[in-house]
Every structure is written in structure tokens, then in C-alpha cells.
Amino acid sequence: MNILDENITYLKGVGPQKANILASELGIKTYGDLISHYPYRYLDRSKFYRISELSPDTQLVQVKGVITHIEVVGQQRKQRLVAVLSDGFNTVDLVWFKGVSWLKGQVKKGEEYVIFGKPTFFNGRLNFTHPEIEPAVKFQNKAEAKLQGLYNTTEKMKTKFINSKAIYNMQVNLLAIVKGKIRETLTVAVLEQYKLMKLGDALQNIHMPQSPELLQKAQFRLKFEELFYIQLKILRLKYHRAEQYEGFNFSQVGELFNSFYKQHIPFDLTGAQKRVLREIRHDCNTGKQMNRLLQGDVGSGKTLVALMTMLLALDNGYQACIMAPTEILANQHYKSITEMLYPLGVQVALLTGSTTAKNRRELHEGLQSGYIKILIGTHALIEDKVQFHNLGMVVIDEQHRFGVAQRARLYNKNHRPPHVLVMTATPIPRTLAMTLYGDLEVSVIDELPPGRKPIQTLHYRDSARLRVFGFLKKELAKGRQVYIVYPLIKESEALDYKDLEDGLESISRAFPAPDYAISVVHGKMKPAEKDKAMALFVNKQTNIMVATTVIEVGVNVPNASVMVIESAERFGLSQLHQLRGRVGRGAEQSYCILMTGNKLSKDGLTRIETMVKSTDGFEISEVDLKLRGPGDLEGTQQSGIPLNLKIANLGTDSQILQFARNVASDVLKKDPKLQSVDYAALGIELKRRWRYEVDWSQIS
Ligand code: ADP
Ligand code: MG
């Protein structure tokens, strides 16, 4: 048995009661769980603060000083112990509400102590509530590591005396027991070639660092290991797929592609669009299945690339489909694609939740006979009943709305998996792309069609509403259209709806009929009603669109030049960026106006400032990742990839991630099946780590 699988209950310093709390609060049950509960920060125990240096913003610190006063205050149950500590220059109050009588006997006036805690402001004075306290003599005699780990705990743990220090003590006891018995998880070949610290040493140094240098090596090793096994998993899947599946060979660029390109596009493709199309054509002609991610900011012209990719499939005798995340979007794709393809006489069909049973039957037949060449739809398209004659190309628009499992069901629509092009308008940081889409090739459209003016983004407080309305009137007078968007948060749909209703009332008053016409779209409407309201706006019959975020993705109205986002502080960065992308699609100067209340949280302000400063989706996504962490970014939950990493941070560890990916790739090149002496153990460890996860080879 692996010693790290041992139960923690009988570890010195734990015991049954604390074991229960550790399990329920942090999921810590085994030695392995405990030892991988790493410090979130390190305290330099050789450094003492002066009291004059303290402020309410100060984090956990140490102060050395003499107790000049100590007394018990209050009656009976409400007793507290109050002491004053002096460092020779200034004094600070210490307060304890618990363990009063015991502490009273321990802490002596006139003696020197080291206290440790976080100062807070109370009644105009700084104080420490429940600081750790230790006689200075005893402190100096201890042969403790200079850098002491600080550990996350919960409120409940603290009330049961499991504070950071207690966890530290448990780690000390645990390390003593497991010393020399920890099973290495990387092979000697990997450790030596890449000069990595051994696991046992890394665990020792992560909890009780002997020096800053050793701590850094330990952190590197543990982060590496965590990222390495994810990359090994992803890259293995990729190699495996390349080996196992043959792909359709699209050997020719034919009639449809060429005549569309030469005669039916009203503009030149951008350099980036051309490059991506070349990459796709290359992929589809290798004999392997294409799995490619197309990243491009909103408005960069991905739809056209998708369309031409589908034509490529048709030219080679295959069917193609495109799957969109919402009905509005599917309809819009259907409309623009049928229009563009009209001169070519290609059979295009639409399948969404609203398609009637009768139409469905016809559609199923048309797909099976091969009469219908292109199918456009929502996820209704992946239902098992939908069978194709020979599906050769699948385009998935706005991938982040689809999980890995849904993607996989499309792969199974054929005896041979079709080529897959995944498109996303939510730029994701490189590190996240490498992880979430690490099995895909990546193409980027990094160039907007010519003639677009960068959108100007402005931030106004609610108090400036009249000025904003005045500005909108000017734009409307020029014949432009305006979006006004309200937040919609799932937990309180009713409340948000009220926001929208109240807003609508004041907007109707400020923009009265018949001078102005307003469309309204929100999540409570039936799809048909939504489409009707959208259509009025698209056809310029209305000039103001008041909506919740249902319009977020993909809607295209080039004449709309202003996007007003109400309560902008309640939106996430990627959402704000998506919304802003609804304007700036025509040749006119466009504006995005972020309305917020007067009070903003620190993160809220950072989000707004980032939007005002930058229009670069990738830059914005990097900030988003740093603010929220990968687990909370949109679309990552259903990804099937564990992003709640224990030590590595996708926001800041991009170099280690790249290194881990390179090493994984090297290893697989040398030994794809992980069977050699040097690498076989990696395969075993890989299996162990993913034993609770779904088997990816089944789903993608
Ligand atoms: P997205 O990448 O957000 O899906 P779209 O494909 O909807 O972007 O394109 C946005 C707009 O840009 C559309 O109106 C489209 O017709 C137009 N467009 C696409 N490519 C070009 C180009 N090369 N030159 C000019 N306009 C283009
Ligand atoms: Mg699009």
C-alpha cells in the first residue's frame, strides 16, 4: 500500500474529531490529501514588524515586544482578556475572547513575547484579535524553518482550533512519518533529464522550506507534475486519435468553393482568413481527421471561413453541418448562409427546437438520402435520430457553450469521424487553450476586416444618465440604432426582469413613440416572439433594442452603433467583451457605454477599466483569468478537465505549462504507448490519476 493512502485519523495532532472536520470542510481524508494541502503563502519567521509599520491592510505578521499591561475585562460569559504589547516605541492591544482563564495564567506582564496575527482596526486603535502568542525565549530556541507556510482554513475549522498553525504542526508530524517512504511519481529518466526535484524532497520543502531557493525548486517540481499529467493525457488522446481514425481526404478544391470565392463574396478575404483557410485545407488533405480550433475575435469574419470550409466538404462529395448555441444564432446563420449560397443552388436546411414534427421527418429523409447538403442547427442536431448520408465536416460555433461530451456525439455521426472545426469568439488565454483544447490544432484570426473603426468605450455612473440619453438621441438622429442591455443572472431571473421593466419604463419616457420605436427581447419570451422582435430591429423598423443578455452571442446588425450596458459591474469580462462586439460591425464610429452605480468593488473597477482601455479580446481574457481563476471562466466547468489545480496557476504559470507540454510531447514521441523502462511508470501513474474521470477516448 502507498503510505499516502493511509487515513489521517490517528496522525499525531489530528484525532477522530478533527479528522471529521478536515474531511467535511476540505475533503482531507488521507495522508496524501493532507500533504497536498499546500501553503498559500509563506511567512518569513525571521522578520519582525515594528508596530508603527502596521495598518489595517497589513496581512499576517509577527511582532516582538513586552507585555506592559494585562487584565480580564467583562463579566462571566462575556469575559475577554486584554493585553498591551510594546515594542519599545509604540503599543498595540491584544484581545482574546476564548480560552481566557487559561491564557491569563500563561501570559505574564513584563515578559517578552512573539505574537503572530492580522491587525484590525477597532475603536480607532489597531489591535490583534486572537493572535498566536509565544514567549520570545522559546521562539528563539526552536529549530523551525525560517519560512513558515500559511494554510487555508475555514471558519468552522478555526472554531475547533484547526488554524493555520495547527495544520502546519500536522504537516510537521506527517513529514516525519512519511520521510523516505514517499513513492516517486515521475520516472528517473524524466527527473534526471529535466533536473527536477524528487517528490519526497519537494513535499518536505513545500511545507518546511530550508531556503527560498529550495522552496522555488519544490514549487516548480509540484507545478510541473500537476500540469505534466494533464498534458500527457491530452496529447496521448490526440496521438491516439490520429493513429486510430482515418480522416476523409478532401483532395480537391472544386466548383462550389471556387465560384463562391471568385464571384460571390462582395469583398476580399483578410490575410488572416486566407491563412486559416489554407490551414484547414491542408488538414483535410492529410488522410487524418481534422480537429481544429478557430479563435477569432467577434466580428473577425469566422462565419465566412466556416461557410467556405463547408463548401470544401461539398466539393469533395460530403455533407456538412454547423451547430450554433442558440436558436437566434442558428436562424441568423441560416438566413445569411442561404442568402450567400442562393446563386449556387446548394440545399441548405435548418433544424432547431422549433422545427415541427412534419418538417423534421422530411429533413431526416433529406439528410439520409444526401439531398440536403448543409444542415444548420442548434444542439437539436446531435440527437440520435439525425442521421446523415455522409457527413464530412462539422463546424461548431461558439464552442464554449458545448461540452466535450456533446462534441463527441457529433464525432459518432459517421462510420468515420468527420472533420471538426470548432470556432470560438471568446478568446481564451493561451494557457487555457493549451489545456481545454490541448488536443486540437489552433488557428487564429488576428485581423479584423478593413475599414472598421475601433469601438470607443466609455464609463458613466448612473447619475450621468441624462447625458447618455442625450448622446443616444444624437446617434439615433443620424439613423443609427442602439442596444440597451440589462444583466440577467440565473439565480434571480425575476429580479433581473424587474430591472429590465423599470429601465424600459424610463427609456420609453425618454424616447417616446412615434419618434422612436423600441424592440424588447428577454429570456422569458417564446422563441417566436424573440425572433419577431429581433427581426424588427434587424430590418430597422425599430431603432432601440432593449434586451437582456440573450442577444449576447453572434447577432449581427451593422447599422447599430451604440451598445449601452446597464449595471455593467455585474457582468463578467468575457460577457462585456461579447456584448461590445455587437457594435462596430459597420463603417461608422461605434460606442460602448458602460453604466455602473457609484460604488464599485475593486474587481468590478478593474473589469470596467480593462474594457475602457482595451479592445483586444486576448488581453481581456488574460485579465479575466487572473481575476477569476480558470474554474470560473465561462464554459470551463463542463470541459471534463480538472481545472481546480492544487498548486499550478494557469494565470501565472504559463512558462511551466509550456515546458510541461513540451516534455509530455517529447516523451510521447519517444514512446507513444508508454511501455519502455524509462516511461512505463508514467502510464501507470496517468491511469491512477484519471481513474475517476470518464474515459475520454469514448467521448472524443
Ligand atoms: P464573427 O467572427 O464574429 O462570427 P462574422 O462572420 O459575423 O464575424 O463577420 C462579421 C461581419 O464582417 C459580417 O457582416 C461579414 O459579412 C463581414 N466580413 C467578414 N469577412 C470580411 C472581409 N474579409 N471583409 C469585409 N467584411 C467582412
Ligand atoms: Mg459568429
Side-chain angles (χ1 to χ4, degrees):
M1 180 173 155
N2 189 331
I3 190 156
L4 292 183
D5 292 334
E6 207 70 63
N7 188 299
I8 54 166
T9 307
Y10 298 106
L11 179 67
K12 201 172 142 212
V14 183
Q17 203 202 359
K18 286 184 178 161
N20 275 338
I21 293 168
L22 283 169
S24 63
E25 292 293 289
L26 296 178
I28 295 175
K29 293 177 188 149
T30 64
Y31 284 5
D33 295 337
L34 181 61
I35 214 164
S36 57
H37 185 60
Y38 304 126
Y40 66 90
R41 201 162 76 80
Y42 294 85
L43 180 79
D44 186 348
R45 295 232 78 161
S46 62
K47 178 167 167 47
F48 296 100
Y49 274 71
R50 287 274 183 87
I51 291 169
S52 60
E53 290 176 291
L54 303 179
S55 81
D57 295 331
T58 309
Q59 291 306 307
L60 291 164
V61 289
Q62 285 186 139
V63 181
K64 188 151 71 168
V66 174
I67 297 290
T68 56
H69 177 88
I70 183 158
E71 68 173 316
V72 176
V73 183
Q75 300 296 320
Q76 295 288 337
R77 286 162 148 260
K78 287 188 182 157
Q79 275 190 345
R80 62 187 193 273
L81 183 66
V82 179
V84 178
L85 183 85
S86 161
D87 65 359
F89 300 94
N90 299 85
T91 61
V92 67
D93 292 346
L94 315 178
V95 187
W96 291 271
F97 297 93
K98 285 192 182 135
V100 171
S101 44
W102 183 79
L103 273 163
K104 196 176 59 183
Q106 298 287 311
V107 181
K108 304 217 166 62
K109 188 174 161 182
E111 285 188 17
E112 198 183 24
Y113 290 89
V114 172
I115 64 141
F116 169 72
K118 181 180 168 4
T120 49
F121 221 50
F122 184 72
N123 273 349
R125 263 180 75 78
L126 273 183
N127 77 31
F128 284 89
T129 307
H130 280 278
E132 288 174 18
I133 184 162
E134 219 171 348
V137 194
K138 201 173 151 203
F139 182 88
Q140 270 139 13
N141 291 341
K142 257 197 211 161
E144 262 186 299
K146 273 190 188 160
L147 291 169
Q148 192 193 309
L150 299 178
Y151 296 85
N152 277 323
T153 54
T154 63
E155 279 313 309
K156 180 155 179 221
M157 287 166 67
K158 277 181 213 153
T159 62
K160 302 287 180 197
F161 305 103
I162 313 180
N163 55 16
S164 172
K165 178 79 192 204
I167 294 186
Y168 175 78
N169 288 335
M170 292 175 196
Q171 302 286 10
V172 172
N173 296 336
L174 178 56
L175 284 165
I177 295 177
V178 300
K179 199 173 167 102
K181 295 185 191 147
I182 291 175
R183 207 180 283 167
E184 180 54 60
T185 45
L186 295 171
T187 61
V188 177
V190 173
L191 289 172
E192 282 181 357
Q193 183 174 356
Y194 301 101
K195 302 198 169 42
L196 295 162
M197 191 184 248
K198 288 202 186 102
L199 180 59
D201 295 341
L203 290 172
Q204 177 77 33
N205 274 288
I206 205 80
H207 293 291
M208 304 171 69
Q210 298 304 302
S211 71
E213 293 73 37
L214 288 171
L215 172 59
Q216 209 207 342
K217 282 200 135 183
Q219 285 171 325
F220 187 89
R221 143 80 206 215
L222 294 170
K223 288 176 178 188
F224 169 84
E225 170 178 342
E226 195 167 36
L227 297 169
F228 171 76
Y229 276 108
I230 294 175
Q231 290 301 321
L232 195 64
K233 176 81 186 169
I234 293 169
L235 290 176
R236 238 192 141 191
L237 170 72
K238 182 176 166 181
Y239 289 135
H240 172 78
R241 204 161 51 199
E243 233 173 65
Q244 194 180 25
Y245 299 130
E246 268 182 76
F248 299 119
N249 236 341
F250 294 177
S251 53
Q252 53 178 341
V253 176
E255 179 61 26
L256 289 171
F257 188 97
N258 278 327
S259 70
F260 181 77
Y261 181 58
K262 292 195 184 117
Q263 290 157 31
H264 301 292
I265 314 181
F267 36 70
D268 287 334
L269 293 183
T270 61
Q273 284 171 320
K274 285 186 194 160
R275 189 189 64 234
V276 170
L277 278 169
R278 270 200 304 276
E279 287 166 352
I280 291 169
R281 271 165 50 188
H282 171 267
D283 275 8
C284 294
N285 196 19
T286 57
K288 305 276 178 209
Q289 181 212 10
M290 172 175 81
N291 279 285
R292 189 169 275 279
L293 173 71
L294 173 55
Q295 287 206 66
D297 223 329
V298 275
S300 61
K302 292 185 296 296
T303 312
L304 202 61
V305 171
L307 177 57
M308 296 187 67
T309 301
M310 292 196 286
L311 291 180
L312 187 68
L314 268 52
D315 273 340
N316 287 275
Y318 296 95
Q319 294 164 295
C321 70
I322 179 165
M323 180 160 78
T326 64
E327 200 151 331
I328 292 184
L329 250 186
N331 285 329
Q332 193 172 298
H333 277 322
Y334 179 67
K335 187 163 167 282
S336 67
I337 288 175
T338 38
E339 265 168 30
M340 283 193 272
L341 292 185
Y342 179 72
L344 298 175
V346 174
Q347 283 304 322
V348 183
L350 176 70
L351 174 64
T352 68
S354 311
T355 308
T356 61
K358 179 170 164 288
N359 285 346
R360 247 168 229 254
R361 266 197 304 280
E362 274 172 29
L363 201 129
H364 289 166
E365 278 172 30
L367 287 170
Q368 255 166 2
S369 70
Y371 172 71
I372 297 170
K373 299 291 186 235
I374 292 181
L375 179 64
I376 296 168
T378 54
H379 50 264
L381 200 147
I382 55 174
E383 286 164 18
D384 293 331
K385 264 185 247 140
V386 182
Q387 293 296 333
F388 292 81
H389 174 62
N390 59 355
L391 180 64
M393 174 66 69
V394 172
V395 180
I396 305 178
D397 196 7
E398 313 294 352
Q399 149 80 11
H400 60 285
R401 307 278 169 121
F402 291 109
V404 181
Q406 284 167 310
R407 189 163 25 121
R409 285 175 72 179
L410 270 173
Y411 289 23
N412 299 333
K413 289 263 166 220
N414 242 346
H415 55 288
R416 237 189 236 185
H419 296 300
V420 176
L421 180 67
V422 171
M423 305 201 293
T424 169
T426 312
I428 38 176
R430 225 171 54 85
T431 52
L432 205 53
M434 249 193 266
T435 308
L436 288 179
Y437 305 118
D439 60 323
L440 307 180
E441 306 296 329
V442 179
S443 288
V444 179
I445 304 190
D446 49 6
E447 183 186 354
L448 292 180
R452 300 253 176 94
K453 295 197 181 76
I455 302 165
Q456 275 187 37
T457 303
L458 308 159
H459 173 207
Y460 284 106
R461 312 273 171 171
D462 285 336
S463 47
R465 182 168 302 280
L466 283 182
R467 259 179 76 199
V468 171
F469 279 0
F471 174 75
L472 297 185
K473 283 185 178 161
K474 272 198 216 147
E475 283 293 301
L476 289 164
K478 290 189 220 162
R480 310 278 140 69
Q481 288 162 285
V482 169
Y483 292 104
I484 303 176
V485 176
Y486 288 84
L488 185 139
I489 297 169
K490 282 197 197 77
E491 299 92 78
S492 65
E493 241 175 74
L495 189 84
D496 292 313
Y497 183 59
K498 189 171 172 308
D499 277 3
L500 180 132
E501 274 196 320
D502 291 351
L504 190 57
E505 214 178 284
S506 76
I507 293 164
S508 310
R509 243 181 288 124
F511 300 91
D515 295 347
Y516 302 96
I518 303 174
S519 276
V520 183
V521 174
H522 58 77
K524 284 193 171 176
M525 289 162 69
K526 296 213 174 73
E529 294 174 314
K530 270 191 234 170
D531 287 350
K532 213 166 123 196
M534 263 324 290
L536 286 174
F537 190 66
V538 172
N539 301 329
K540 299 196 201 175
Q541 284 163 284
T542 55
N543 45 12
I544 300 174
M545 163 65 77
V546 177
T548 53
T549 45
V550 288
I551 62 149
E552 186 190 335
V553 183
V555 175
N556 191 24
V557 182
N559 187 51
S561 66
V562 189
M563 166 65 65
V564 180
I565 304 176
E566 295 286 346
S567 306
E569 70 271 29
R570 284 167 63 186
F571 290 87
L573 266 175
S574 75
Q575 241 183 341
L576 290 172
H577 182 64
Q578 280 282 334
L579 285 168
R580 180 168 60 182
R582 299 305 108 215
V583 296
R585 305 189 142 231
E588 311 305 332
Q589 175 63 55
S590 292
Y591 304 87
C592 174
I593 299 177
L594 306 172
M595 303 294 298
T596 70
N598 282 324
K599 266 201 182 154
L600 288 178
S601 68
K602 194 162 147 270
D603 282 3
L605 189 63
T606 306
R607 288 198 295 272
I608 301 292
E609 283 173 347
T610 305
M611 288 298 294
V612 171
K613 222 170 43 207
S614 174
T615 52
D616 178 343
F618 285 96
E619 195 179 320
I620 291 169
S621 73
E622 296 282 351
V623 177
D624 205 17
L625 179 60
K626 290 201 172 101
L627 286 181
R628 295 206 282 178
D632 289 331
L633 292 191
E634 209 176 324
T636 55
Q637 288 88 351
Q638 72 283 48
S639 69
I641 297 170
L643 289 172
N644 49 341
L645 303 177
K646 285 214 159 77
I647 186 162
N649 177 335
L650 292 178
T652 48
D653 292 325
S654 58
Q655 284 181 346
I656 304 180
L657 173 60
Q658 183 65 61
F659 175 67
R661 186 171 170 91
N662 294 347
V663 174
S665 172
D666 274 0
V667 165
L668 288 172
K669 260 185 216 133
K670 286 187 207 148
D671 182 8
K673 297 216 157 91
L674 301 179
Q675 286 172 337
S676 66
V677 180
D678 281 351
Y679 303 122
L682 299 178
I684 294 167
E685 177 65 15
L686 189 65
K687 265 212 193 103
R688 194 186 69 79
R689 280 176 190 243
W690 293 81
R691 65 192 183 277
Y692 302 119
E693 308 291 333
V694 265
D695 182 359
W696 277 15
S697 60
Q698 295 303 304
I699 58 168
S700 50

